[in-house]
Amino acid sequence: MTAQPPVNSLRSLPDSTGHFGTFGGRYVAETLMPLILDLEKEYRKAKEDPSFQEEFDDLLKNFVGRPSPLYYAPRMTEHFRGAAPEGKGPKIYFKREDLNHTGAHKINNCIGQILLAIRMGKTRIIAETGAGQHGVATATVCARFGIPCVIYMGSTDVARQQPNVFRMKLLGAEVVPVESGAKTLKDAMNEALRDWVANVHDTFYIIGTAAGPHPYPELVRDFQSVIGTETRAQMLETEGRLPDMVLACVGGGSNAIGMFHPFLDDPEVAMVGVEAAGHGIETGQHAASLTGGKPGILHGNKTYLLQDEDGQITEAHSISAGLDYPGLGPEHSWLHENGRVRYVPITDDQALEAFQQCCALEGIIPALESAHALAALPQLTAEMDEDKILVVNVSGRGDKDIFTVAEALGVEL
Amino acid sequence: MSTRFEMAFSKGPALVCFITGGDGDTAANLDALVEGGADVIELGMPFTDPMADGPAIQEANLRSLGKGTRTADIFRYAAEFRQRHPQVPLVLMGYANPMTIRGPEWFAAECAKAGVDGVICVDIPPEEDAALGPALRDAGVSLIRLATPTTDAARLPAVLEGSSGFLYYVSVAGITGMQQAAQGSIEEAVAKLKAASDIPVTVGFGVRTPEQASSIAKVADGVVVGSALVDLVKEHGDKAAGPLKELTSALAEAVHSAR
């Protein structure tokens, strides 16, 4: 791993009790607490063990297909330069996580966690999924290692994401439709926690984003940090310097924290996270926890949440199922409050426009999640000089989204 | 001065009964539990995401919230209960977010004002005690912690530290209202907990019938029944008081005559 960060580093959290400032922590039922402590201990040992890192690196290279390219996007660059005021419009690069095996960044984390599960002697895997991307990635690594897995998925999501349900089943997973609540990602996570609490002795829970009880936010971030670490090296090789800005979408926030974390101590690198503003913050139908929520406790951690004044969690809305969650990882809450990262909201309509624009200008169909990041480009590029460099994390590919997009555009397939 | 908890547990094994606040006619249901012979009452605070609960209590939470139950209503039920039943210990049980959203001091003060004796928060383990524990203790409200089959000897002191009223042993690693643990494992666990603790040890999760309650009451200081009562509220809606009183009487009889 990398050397110890300096004392005043922004990269030294969480603290020994799993907190990022006031955020994070281990808000779980007593039944799970011993297991969480055990997981932390095992993770520390794994981090110190060169063979763990070697196996992780080998799988990322040969199974996932890393490193993913850092791609210069010439036509997007030209387009925004043309639209920007004179002298503005930076060079735009894409970090191509969409080219990973299974089509998104999710697999990076799943590889890391399944190796941990195996180290801990666990023989059964569970996971939650919203759109199905994390479910597919989990089912993939479980097939690769021959471990049975159960994927919890809200029945609303099961109905609207049939291709991913079928993929998971092909990969050997059992997909359990969850009927509680609004039957989406939040409810799937509740149900996965219920399974876990009843099966702690043999079951490992592969959480899909950099959230949940400590040490999950830390370990998911560490596994996803390959994104930023590669970007850094690739940028130094291509341009001989660091980028001026990195940009990523934030649902739970694992692709964003993976991109941001290796740059946190480089003050010259600005960072922007994009939240899903759904139909608009003012409508109340959105998934922008930082812009429209406030701190609270859910799913094992303290973080910004969409909630009412009694602390009841409210339903999120986004056209992108991967961003449709009423909270986000605790490290983002901390980075938001200390100002290191700027978080901006992008609506469904803006994301749809960016989705089409990326297809037409670069020949890349981005995930709707990634399209939210791309949709911040008009605003951000207009403010940046043309000798600057901006990297967008294209966290996944959009093949899974074509039905949603067609419906939103009124096209019958 | 002995507390309401001490009095409730001084007469032999106690019956602890749970219902969800705002589900059905809460005041009538609470009265039915007391009239049936419950020694301690747990009033569930509804939450949108009750991840430690099985289907029965999940549904009760959603029925309650669906009717528009607010935190203020829960404290109103509690305060009115205290007026009607000055001697019966009342515990609020729920999840961290509704309890801490206005600050732990606010919540602790409301509990004290309403005459609430203790609080069980499912998702604040000893490691996160600062989020609620100090405020409750300062306000003179007991923090009641959960011990589980996964709580080993090394952790137990941390669980007991700062807790009072009684210790709630969750007899199965799992969610509420599902299967019951084997009697042998309960006896073994209770013996260990009682040896380590000077507060009463109650046992819950999966206890549905007078027979089960009776065998647990032979070894524990109290027996907690929840989902079986909540199921009656589901079945009978606003007219659940009669059936609740009937089941509570049978449970109380079984618990009180166990030893």
Side-chain angles (χ1 to χ4, degrees), chain B residues 14-18 42 93 166 168-169 202-208 216 222-226:
Chain B
L15 174 65
V16 183
C17 289
F18 172 98
E42 285 180 13
M93 181 167 184
F166 60 92
Y168 186 147
Y169 178 62
T202 70
V203 176
F205 276 47
V207 187
R208 303 189 71 91
I216 292 172
V223 182
V224 188
V225 179

Side-chain angles (χ1 to χ4, degrees), chain B residues 129-223:
Chain B
D129 185 66
L132 187 61
L136 289 176
R137 289 187 286 272
D138 286 353
V141 178
S142 289
L143 174 69
I144 294 156
R145 287 239 181 80
L146 306 167
T148 71
T150 61
T151 309
D152 56 22
R155 268 189 75 68
L156 189 54
V159 170
L160 290 168
E161 171 73 34
S163 69
S164 61
F166 60 92
L167 182 66
Y168 186 147
Y169 178 62
V170 174
S171 62
V172 287
I175 52 180
T176 54
M178 307 306 274
Q179 81 281 28
Q180 196 206 2
Q183 180 68 12
S185 73
I186 293 177
E187 287 175 14
E188 195 183 325
V190 168
K192 279 185 198 159
L193 294 171
K194 282 177 73 77
S197 154
D198 51 13
I199 53 176
V201 175
T202 70
V203 176
F205 276 47
V207 187
R208 303 189 71 91
T209 66
E211 292 71 29
Q212 293 170 321
S214 171
S215 42
I216 292 172
K218 286 185 171 51
V219 294
D221 300 312
V223 182

Side-chain angles (χ1 to χ4, degrees), chain B residues 13 40 59 78 110 130 161 164 203 234:
Chain B
V40 178
E59 289 170 19
E110 289 296 306
E161 171 73 34
S164 61
V203 176
K234 176 184 180 177

Side-chain angles (χ1 to χ4, degrees), chain A residues 26 186 190 194 297 307 310, chain B residues 49-50 70 97 102 128:
Chain A
R26 295 175 281 211
K186 172 171 82 83
N190 290 335
R194 290 180 187 120
I297 297 166
Q307 54 185 322
D310 275 350
Chain B
D49 295 84
R70 304 286 313 265
N97 205 44
R102 293 179 174 89
E128 301 294 345

Side-chain angles (χ1 to χ4, degrees), chain B residues 34-123:
Chain B
V34 174
E35 287 160 21
D39 302 291
V40 178
I41 302 293
E42 285 180 13
L43 181 61
M45 292 180 64
F47 182 45
T48 41
D49 295 84
M51 53 268 186
D53 284 300
I57 297 179
Q58 283 175 47
E59 289 170 19
N61 277 263
L62 295 182
R63 282 195 300 271
S64 174
L65 292 172
K67 280 168 51 187
T69 304
R70 304 286 313 265
T71 298
D73 298 319
I74 300 298
F75 281 118
R76 184 168 50 77
Y77 296 135
E80 291 170 4
F81 176 87
R82 180 53 66 230
Q83 294 265 312
R84 297 193 305 274
H85 305 283
Q87 302 303 326
V88 183
L90 180 66
V91 174
L92 293 187
M93 181 167 184
Y95 290 83
N97 205 44
M99 291 184 181
T100 58
I101 190 68
R102 293 179 174 89
E105 293 78 16
W106 179 87
F107 182 75
E110 289 296 306
C111 285
K113 207 164 73 186
V116 169
D117 301 279
V119 169
I120 302 172
C121 183
V122 175
D123 51 349

